[in-house]
Each structure stands twice: as structure tokens, then as C-alpha cells.
Amino acid sequence: QVELVESGGGLVQAGGSLRLSCAASGRIFSIKTMGWYRQAPGKQRDLVAILTSSGNTNYADSVKARFTISRDNAKNTVYLQMNNLNPEDTAVYYCSWTIQVSRFLSYRDAWGQGTQVTVSS
């Protein structure tokens, strides 16, 4: 059983920074993508940033040049560095990895439980 655990959320003033972490436990055979999503109250869950196994990244237009996704393979962890935060970034942030737990099984999406980020004006 693979578990993703996010941390690093909290309350920050506009213009501030936070770094989210998402650590995986359990046996993973292969990782296709590692991503961050967010969901604000009353809104759908949207992609924030994604990192592929080949190292390519993609960001939502609203966070480009402010957020950076990275990974630490040794720690099986993905990070989201968020700078110059604004109140519109307030949401629950979720990490999601597309993983294969065995070479005999298909890739599937694993999700963390989410971490709240609140940006005050």
C-alpha cells in the first residue's frame, strides 16, 4: 500500500512563501508523474504543477514564475516551492503521483490527504 503524506501548509501573508512536501511510503516500482493540485472552496480541483519522470515540468498559468516543483529521489519526496503568494492561492493542496507498484500492474493515481494553504491579504 502506497501512502502520500503532504506537509508544509499553513497561514502566510500575501507576498510570503511556503514550501510543501509530499513524501511517499510503501513499495513503488515506477513513477510516471508527480503533481500538485489545489482545490479552493466551491471550486474544482485543478492542476498546479506536474513533474514527469524525464524531468519535464508544467505549471498552471496562474503560478508560473512563482511556484517551482522539484523532487528528491533519495527521500522519495516531491516539493512545491511557492513564492509571492496571494490570496487567490488559498486552497487545499493535494499531491498526486502516477505510479506502478509492480511491473505486472498498470499505472494508477495515488493521492495525499491534502494540506491547507491560506494566504491573508
Side-chain angles (χ1 to χ4, degrees), residues 17-91:
S17 299
L18 284 174
R19 188 177 81 154
L20 305 182
S21 301
C22 173
S25 62
R27 184 177 179 275
I28 298 175
F29 175 75
S30 175
I31 300 172
K32 182 179 287 186
T33 63
M34 308 164 86
W36 286 95
Y37 295 74
R38 66 186 181 186
Q39 187 168 20
K43 295 188 177 181
Q44 67 181 23
R45 189 175 299 185
D46 291 326
L47 175 68
V48 175
I50 196 162
L51 174 63
T52 70
S53 58
S54 59
N56 294 320
T57 58
N58 193 30
Y59 296 90
D61 288 341
S62 60
V63 307
K64 282 181 181 176
R66 298 190 299 125
F67 291 10
T68 302
I69 188 170
S70 62
R71 68 185 289 183
D72 184 329
N73 292 331
K75 295 182 179 180
N76 228 14
T77 299
V78 64
Y79 303 97
L80 185 68
Q81 177 66 45
M82 306 186 294
N83 297 328
N84 194 21
L85 286 159
N86 59 63
E88 290 69 39
D89 296 316
T90 295

